[in-house]
Amino acid sequence: MASILLAGGGTAGHVNPLLATATELRTRGHVVAAVGTAEGLEKDLVPRAGVPLHTVPKVPLPRRPSGDLLRLPRNLRAAVAAASAAMTDSGAAAVVGFGGYVSTPAYLAARRAKLPIVVHEANARPGLANRLGARMTDRVAVTFPGTPLRGATVTGLPLRREIADLATVLADAEAGPEARAAARAVAGWASDAPTLLVTGGSLGAASVNAAVVAAVPDLVARGVHVWHLTGQGKGEDALRAQAELPERVRGLYRVEEYSHDMATALAAAGAVICRAGAATVSEVTALGIPAMYVPLPHGNGEQADNARPAAGAGAATIVADQDLTADAVRDGAERMLLDSHAAEAMRAATDAIAIRDGAARVADMVEAALDQDATAGSSS
């Protein structure tokens, strides 16, 4: 067994797959530690998961001339030194990077120490740190096919334990229907209720909320049950629309600003309308749920790239943010939930492309790198 140092932070998109991989490596008897910054989500999430966290200075890579660019060499040296110290303190035999600012110094320190490097890229469009890291190793894991990193192997995303466990349950012919029925019962709905889950993430998505609110009267009139997570502080319009529904169908529209139990909401869902972050697409697909993805309209377009494999396989549709209207919501929901032929085809497509064991696949890659390094060491 070996000590593995995991690098990643800044956002949940980096931290959650890191923690999922840490859990898998621990079940195999390895010792794990992590490097992160003192500012990102990792400062809370990693210690809470029982993983020791070594902090390194945050070193953004400036994209234009600035004072930060002049200070970059000095700052990067300090971050690499901190990452090197973390490797020494943890006795690391390999480094696994998940992207974010902290991965760059970790990759550079690992190369200097001649430790095996494994890179995992969550998004279809890789970030700067992982583009650098992929040049230092032949062990590159990606979530989506077509991700432009040399020699990449598609492993899927290491899923959060509660989502991985739920995916296993829902895929079971007997346990799956029981779990869906129990989740729908939480909302007071029948076990066979055609259920649409709408979420724009914890902060919500104004355009998604507006289109769904406008479509809700038609949807509930057709018997569609809508579980709408509006985002914190963004539930007013949805609650007003709920109050204006006829009393006989008002119970078909459940409005919450935020869910502390996303596993239940996802288990209840027969279809989802949501954004297309890498984790969202991976989790929805792993759970076998047909989806309408509405990628963020700004940024570098990576969310549309994330959703494209699922859409290409027939497991989902993509609707541009500017094209998301009440009609688009209504038509998409009815196709995914009320058209039995289309719904079954989409569910079958999700099953064909779902990767539910991403953490195990990445852990396999780490162990292969360790074995290769040990073989090379014994022959030298």
Side-chain angles (χ1 to χ4, degrees):
M1 299 301 104
S3 177
I4 315 297
L5 190 65
L6 309 175
T11 67
H14 298 307
V15 178
N16 285 335
L18 180 155
L19 291 176
T21 303
T23 298
E24 176 65 24
L25 289 168
R26 278 177 157 176
T27 65
R28 299 182 182 203
H30 298 292
V31 176
V32 297
V35 288
T37 69
E39 296 85 16
L41 289 176
E42 64 271 20
K43 70 178 171 45
D44 296 319
L45 297 182
V46 170
R48 192 183 305 165
V51 177
L53 178 66
H54 302 265
T55 58
V56 301
K58 181 177 177 180
V59 186
L61 299 178
R63 297 176 184 271
R64 58 181 60 88
S66 68
D68 287 338
L69 183 60
L70 296 174
R71 290 186 290 271
L72 177 62
R74 181 188 64 197
N75 293 341
L76 187 57
R77 282 195 298 271
V80 171
S84 295
M87 291 172 194
T88 300
D89 291 345
S90 64
V95 170
V96 188
F98 295 86
Y101 295 131
V102 71
S103 292
T104 299
Y107 294 143
L108 293 171
R111 183 175 65 174
R112 177 186 295 173
K114 297 182 179 180
L115 295 182
I117 297 171
V118 176
V119 172
H120 182 275
E121 174 55 54
N123 287 295
R125 192 172 297 188
L128 290 172
N130 278 350
R131 291 209 297 270
L132 174 67
R135 296 175 182 172
M136 303 179 187
T137 180
D138 58 359
R139 306 284 180 179
V140 179
V142 296
T143 298
F144 302 109
T147 302
L149 290 176
R150 184 188 63 190
T153 298
V154 177
T155 62
L157 188 77
L159 298 173
R160 294 177 291 159
R161 175 53 62 91
E162 62 269 28
I163 297 298
D165 290 347
L166 178 61
T168 300
V169 170
L170 294 182
D172 184 272
E174 293 186 7
E178 294 178 359
R180 292 186 186 92
R184 290 166 185 166
V186 170
W189 297 337
S191 61
D192 61 349
T195 302
L196 175 68
L197 175 64
V198 180
T199 175
S202 60
L203 298 179
S207 57
V208 174
N209 288 343
V212 170
V213 164
V216 155
D218 287 341
L219 290 175
V220 297
R222 293 291 308 277
V224 174
H225 296 54
V226 182
W227 194 326
H228 189 176
L229 304 177
T230 64
Q232 292 177 328
K234 296 178 180 174
E236 184 176 348
D237 291 343
L239 290 170
R240 185 182 304 113
Q242 181 189 58
E244 292 173 354
L245 290 172
E247 187 173 355
R248 61 184 174 80
V249 294
R250 195 173 299 154
L252 275 62
Y253 186 31
R254 179 183 177 93
V255 177
E256 295 178 290
E257 290 193 348
Y258 181 80
S259 174
H260 292 282
D261 185 9
M262 277 302 296
T264 294
L266 287 163
V272 178
I273 296 178
C274 56
R275 293 297 195 197
T280 298
V281 173
S282 299
E283 292 178 359
V284 167
T285 304
L287 294 170
I289 308 172
M292 174 188 288
Y293 293 116
V294 187
L296 279 168
H298 49 78
N300 63 4
E302 71 179 21
Q303 286 207 352
D305 289 343
N306 292 342
R308 215 158 270 130
T317 57
I318 301 173
V319 177
D321 193 82
Q322 67 268 23
D323 296 331
L324 187 69
T325 62
D327 286 345
V329 168
R330 184 193 63 235
D331 293 347
E334 290 182 356
R335 179 173 180 269
M336 292 188 290
L337 292 167
L338 303 182
D339 182 334
S340 59
H341 177 74
E344 181 56 36
M346 293 183 80
R347 285 193 292 269
T350 65
D351 193 54
I353 65 171
I355 297 178
R356 302 182 175 96
D357 61 344
R361 295 188 188 197
V362 174
D364 287 345
M365 190 175 287
V366 174
E367 291 184 331
L370 289 167
D371 290 343
Q372 183 183 39
D373 187 61
T375 301
S378 63
S379 62
S380 61

